């Protein structure tokens, strides 16, 4: 039977401001990428999301990013390797405190936003992220784009490398994500997102922005929690996957 993990970016609020419906999404997904305070999130939010995830048996992952609260971690930044490695380890460690307090643990690491896209090709920044993960916990899986330098370096360093796909993001013919600055970068039609989810899970393929069919073999499928109607869309995706004979379960 085909197996897929469903992950979502959660805890992306700050103080009284909340972006995602964490409680409802945690009733659907199997893995939670929890913001660690650098692009979004704060101590109270991290603690609350960890408690909710633990109660529901959802796997907790650290979503690490550049230090960019104002830009939601989506602005390009040049951070020295040693500094980036330390900040990645710092974010993982902060989340681990709240995960353990909730009776769980941080089970994997996923970069966010500009950092996620940067480490697809940038070996230096990818190496810094891997160094940060190794510093925090040398057993943690790393979640990223298939074929990325991040996953290649993670595997070389002995970290489990886990591939990820996006049903609601447009792909280039090279298998990378179309930048959000370009028109059509985000797939907004719910029916299309649902069918792309099944296609990615069952055949490991998707239609690129050029119309070409490309291979995207992934163990985890990301559902963005900050899109309108995110909760209902996530429910539809999971229901359709299970109806198609796909088993939905966490990879870690």
């Amino acid at each position: 039977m085909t197996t897929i993990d469903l992950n979502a970016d959660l805890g992306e609020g700050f103080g009284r401001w909340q972006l995602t419906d964490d409680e409802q999404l945690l009733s659907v997904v199997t893995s939670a990428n929890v913001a660690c305070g650098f692009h979004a999130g704060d101590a109270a939010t991290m603690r609350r999301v960890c408690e909710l995830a633990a109660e529901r048996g959802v796997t907790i992952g650290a979503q690490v990013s550049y230090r960019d609260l104002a830009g939601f971690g989506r602005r390009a930044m040049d951070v020295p390797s040693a500094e980036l490695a330390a900040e990645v380890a710092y974010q993982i460690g902060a989340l681990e405190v709240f995960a353990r307090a909730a009776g769980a643990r941080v089970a994997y690491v996923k970069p966010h936003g500009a950092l996620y896209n940067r480490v697809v090709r940038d070996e230096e920044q990818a190496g810094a992220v891997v160094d940060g993960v190794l510093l925090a916990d040398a057993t943690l899986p790393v979640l990223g784009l298939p074929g990325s330098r991040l996953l290649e370096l993670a595997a070389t360093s002995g970290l489990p490398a886990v591939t990820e796909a996006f049903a609601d993001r447009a792909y280039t013919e090279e298998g990378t994500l179309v930048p959000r600055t370009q028109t059509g970068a985000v797939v907004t039609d719910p029916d299309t997102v649902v069918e792309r989810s099944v296609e990615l899970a069952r055949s490991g393929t998707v239609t690129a922005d050029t119309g070409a069919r490309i291979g995207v073999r992934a163990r985890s499928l990301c559902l963005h929690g900050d899109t309108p109607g995110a909760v209902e869309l996530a429910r539809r995706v999971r229901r359709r996957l299970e109806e198609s004979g796909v088993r939905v379960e966490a990879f870690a």
Side-chain angles (χ1 to χ4, degrees), residues 80-244:
S81 295
E83 182 178 340
L84 180 57
E87 292 191 338
V88 166
Y90 179 92
Q91 292 174 78
I92 297 168
L95 188 64
E96 178 70 4
V97 169
F98 299 118
R100 287 194 177 275
R105 65 184 183 89
V106 171
Y108 67 94
V109 178
K110 173 185 172 178
H112 165 82
L115 182 58
Y116 186 96
N117 291 312
R118 180 76 171 267
V119 297
V120 170
R121 294 195 175 99
D122 191 315
E123 184 158 356
E124 182 178 349
Q125 294 283 276
V129 172
V130 169
D131 287 344
V133 177
L134 290 170
L135 182 60
D137 184 341
T139 68
L140 288 176
V142 176
L143 185 61
L145 208 65
S148 64
R149 293 299 295 146
L150 174 67
L151 293 192
E152 291 173 3
L153 292 175
T156 300
S157 300
L159 296 171
V162 184
T163 53
E164 176 183 40
F166 298 82
D168 61 354
R169 289 294 310 277
Y171 280 84
T172 68
E173 201 166 325
E174 292 72 38
T176 58
L177 300 178
V178 173
R180 283 181 176 268
T181 53
Q182 295 184 20
T183 302
V186 179
V187 180
T188 56
D189 178 65
D191 292 337
T192 301
V193 173
V194 171
E195 292 312 309
R196 280 164 60 99
S197 298
V198 175
E199 182 182 25
L200 283 163
R202 291 185 60 85
S203 67
T205 61
V206 72
T207 302
D209 59 345
T210 60
R213 302 286 298 166
I214 61 171
V216 184
R217 291 284 177 184
R219 176 64 183 85
S220 186
L221 185 65
C222 181
L223 305 173
H224 283 103
D226 60 346
T227 55
V231 173
E232 181 55 33
L233 179 58
R235 289 179 178 143
R236 285 188 60 190
V237 166
R238 177 156 187 168
R239 183 166 58 247
R240 184 75 176 87
L241 285 168
E242 293 174 337
E243 289 171 352
S244 301

Side-chain angles (χ1 to χ4, degrees), residues 28-42:
V28 181
V29 300
T30 47
S31 295
N33 317 315
V34 184
C36 298
F38 272 40
H39 75 279
D42 52 42

